[in-house]
Amino acid sequence: MRTNLKPNGIIPMPVLMIATYNEDGSVDVMNAAWGTMVENDVIALNLSEGHKTTKNIKERKAFTVSFADVKHVVEADYVGLESGNKVANKFAKSGLTATKSEHVDAPIINEFPLALECEFIEYQDSEYGLGVIGKVVNVSCDDQYLKDGKLDVSACSFIAFDTYSFGYYVLGDRVGNAFKDGAKLK
């Protein structure tokens, strides 16, 4: 038996922390769940033009995307609750810290395990949204989350957002091998 559910963004999505610099050089960060990779080095973020972060991205031509983790769920949720248009010091109030990227004019949030450093490509505005398109020019990872020089996803405790329950869920255990396990059925 199956039950029909309303289409409501049913796909659990990674909790993305989009960071930019404000016009005065202070750090701005927002929580965004609507984003994905569209190529190996291209990311699409569904951000409306009303966000302070979107304005900063267009002005600075750069941004970073960090993946929130279970250790910082409170901070990640807080920067999603407050608008940079209304709370000028929300980054400071979050308790998070940042370091300037060596590759783009944007901050890297130190507390999150992984950051994509992006150059702004364009803003797309259609009936389906979409918004910010960026080129990933560097990926930086905190060394404690590396294993044999590669990202150890199971150590990161990244979180995902579920739109049905309004809950955050931790990702972690490896359950299979892509492009290999299915070969057993060939």
Side-chain angles (χ1 to χ4, degrees):
M1 180 172 192
R2 296 180 67 86
T3 300
N4 294 322
L5 302 173
K6 293 180 183 179
N8 186 29
I10 187 68
I11 301 168
M13 298 169 280
V15 178
L16 306 174
M17 300 287 100
I18 316 304
T20 62
Y21 286 119
N22 291 311
E23 57 279 349
D24 65 0
S26 62
V27 174
D28 169 69
V29 64
M30 72 174 287
N31 175 329
W34 300 93
T36 190
M37 298 300 298
V38 294
E39 295 284 340
N40 285 335
D41 63 348
V42 178
I43 190 166
L45 304 171
N46 194 347
L47 304 179
S48 71
E49 291 193 86
H51 288 293
K52 176 73 172 156
T53 304
T54 303
K55 294 173 189 171
N56 290 343
I57 290 170
K58 287 177 157 184
E59 179 68 28
R60 295 282 188 152
K61 308 293 187 214
F63 59 98
T64 62
V65 179
S66 295
F67 295 80
D69 63 355
V70 72
K71 291 180 193 173
H72 302 95
V73 69
V74 171
E75 295 89 341
D77 192 55
Y78 170 75
V79 299
L81 289 170
E82 296 287 6
S83 168
N85 289 320
K86 296 178 181 176
V87 180
N89 63 343
K90 80 172 186 176
F91 182 73
K93 289 177 82 173
S94 76
L96 297 169
T97 62
T99 302
K100 184 175 180 351
S101 163
E102 295 178 16
H103 303 277
V104 297
D105 185 21
I108 295 172
I109 310 303
N110 298 321
E111 288 76 12
F112 299 122
L114 185 71
L116 308 179
E117 300 167 59
C118 306
E119 294 174 346
F120 175 61
I121 295 175
E122 68 180 358
Y123 187 84
Q124 296 181 355
D125 188 11
S126 74
E127 74 176 289
Y128 298 109
L130 199 50
V132 173
I133 309 297
K135 179 172 181 57
V136 180
V137 297
N138 189 57
V139 179
S140 63
C141 182
D142 187 314
D143 289 343
Q144 69 178 312
Y145 300 102
L146 297 176
K147 184 177 183 179
D148 300 325
K150 295 182 181 179
L151 175 66
D152 181 5
V153 173
S154 61
C156 294
S157 298
F158 293 133
I159 56 175
F161 172 64
D162 169 45
T163 58
Y164 270 95
S165 69
F166 293 107
Y168 293 115
Y169 295 86
V170 67
L171 306 176
D173 294 336
R174 184 178 182 133
V175 297
N177 299 296
F179 306 107
K180 188 174 180 182
D181 289 352
K184 297 172 190 171
L185 301 178
K186 283 187 168 190

